[in-house]
Amino acid sequence: MSGLTVLAIVFVGLLVLGVPIGVSVGWSMMAVALFTDVHGVTGEYVYRNIASCLDSYVILAVPLFIFCGVVMGRGGISKRLFDFFGYFIGNVTAGLQATVVITCLFYGAISGSSPATVAAVGAMTLPLLCDLGYDRVWTTAFISVAGTLGVMIPPSIPFIWYGITASESISDLFIAGILPGCLVGIFLIGYGYIYWKIKGEDKEKIHASVSVMRKKGFIQVFKESFFAILMPVIILGGIYSGVMTPTEAACIAVIYSFIISQCVYKTLSFKDYPEVFRETLKTLASVMYIVAVAMAFGRVLALMGVPTVVNNAVTSIFSSKVAIILFMVVIMILLGMVMEVVSALLIIAPIFIPIATSIGIDPVHFGVIMIVVLATGFVTPPVGLNLYVASGMSGVGIMPLGKKTYPILGVFMIAALLVIFVPWFSMALL
């Protein structure tokens, strides 16, 4: 059998048996090394690449941003952001729903993680919104989808992995993700406005709640939220101006989050940090293992000539650029449903990037396409990490929650199609 056949049989077989994705990828590579004679693919080559893939200065940004997100999340930053934006638009129809989206946009620029954004924003806003008369299932679904903005707005951890895989500038990818993330946010806000305009809100309760916020006065609310709002400005401003690399920005973010949480807001104490480190390492360990084997997997695929084979097959079957793009989008959506986003990204990026460049798609624009489309995997069963996080907070079952996300996800996909077929949204700020 050919190397590709052995790889496919072992990989799919292990997944069917319920073997974790990282282990399945690793053993499928070893099967090629042991049972085929593909030039260059040996057991030593596989192990060496798994180890060397993590030996990178750029990758240091990932644990640093994860740690920063945990610190800021435990430091109550999401509440300060919500209060600030709610002060201005809370009384507008679906204003508090819009405030959730805007808070997710800003919090995403702190955490870089979708599940972390759902956990931090949802834990604080869900009880409040339900008390104000909003439907619990719909609101939980809305927060789940809004949480996907956490991986679109820089510093996005999937953007870092794509940049390493595609050898593209991570700074360019960060900048390219700003307008698409804002566009998706605008569509979600618009959907929330239409939905609650038709459904109707308990205006009396909402006005009373917003009045409590406004009793503090603008100066007090601004003072409480100033340092939370300033963090994305520092990170993105530093990267955009060229003053800092993404890794240096991650270092600054960690120091800043420590100072703000420890000295300014005083929401964390030194006794909290063992749990902060534990949570960071728990997230990081699984992610880094998957990344190591997936990046090595990409190199094995390249040695086997898989990207070229797939490229020739796809371009021979589909004659138009639009058809090729839609084919890749469908594959991304399907993989996002059964794989964690980083795993899917690192496995298919080496295959799809040559196809995209062959039909004239800029690699930076294609990176944005991949992140936006794969982000749907956070809210689609059976993986759907955002759904599990939100379900745990709200007590709503996964299936009722999943059903409520589909209309919201439909609006998300309309925005995604604009990002896909109008490159301006990704390239305008570069």
Side-chain angles (χ1 to χ4, degrees), residues 189-342:
I189 289 171
Y191 177 77
Y193 176 84
I194 294 170
Y195 184 90
W196 289 109
K197 191 74 175 178
I198 297 171
K199 190 86 171 176
E201 299 174 298
D202 190 333
K203 292 290 187 183
E204 188 176 336
K205 281 186 177 180
I206 293 170
H207 290 330
S209 177
V210 175
S211 295
V212 172
M213 271 187 219
R214 290 186 170 177
K215 277 183 181 178
K216 293 182 179 180
F218 171 74
I219 299 299
Q220 183 62 29
V221 172
F222 180 73
K223 283 172 62 179
E224 290 179 357
S225 58
F226 174 75
F227 291 104
I229 296 171
L230 187 60
M231 185 172 184
V233 175
I234 292 173
I235 295 173
L236 300 183
I239 295 172
Y240 191 87
S241 63
V243 174
M244 297 181 282
T245 66
T247 303
E248 291 166 346
C251 294
I252 296 295
V254 168
I255 296 170
Y256 183 86
S257 64
F258 174 81
I259 293 173
I260 296 305
S261 299
Q262 192 76 32
C263 304
V264 179
Y265 292 142
K266 298 180 179 178
T267 48
L268 283 179
S269 63
F270 284 107
K271 67 180 181 181
D272 295 318
Y273 279 91
E275 184 59 34
V276 168
F277 283 113
R278 190 178 298 111
E279 185 175 340
T280 302
L281 291 172
K282 184 178 178 181
T283 301
L284 189 62
S286 59
V287 169
M288 296 301 275
Y289 172 74
I290 291 172
V291 165
V293 295
M295 290 177 70
F297 188 66
R299 296 180 184 180
V300 170
L301 291 179
L303 277 179
M304 296 170 62
V306 173
T308 303
V309 172
V310 175
N311 187 5
N312 293 337
V314 171
T315 52
S316 65
I317 294 171
F318 302 101
S319 56
S320 72
K321 179 178 177 177
V322 172
I324 293 174
I325 293 172
L326 290 177
F327 168 77
M328 290 191 290
V329 167
V330 169
I331 297 299
M332 291 178 208
I333 292 173
L334 293 175
L335 281 178
M337 293 175 68
V338 296
M339 284 187 188
E340 194 271 329
V341 171
V342 172

Side-chain angles (χ1 to χ4, degrees), residues 98-146:
T99 303
V100 168
V101 174
I102 298 171
T103 304
C104 286
L105 281 167
F106 271 77
Y107 192 83
I110 294 171
S111 72
S113 165
S114 183
T117 301
V118 172
V121 178
M124 182 270 302
T125 60
L126 186 60
L128 170 64
L129 294 173
C130 291
D131 287 344
L132 295 177
Y134 289 105
D135 178 71
R136 175 175 289 274
V137 180
W138 189 92
T139 301
T140 306
F142 188 78
I143 293 171
S144 299
V145 178

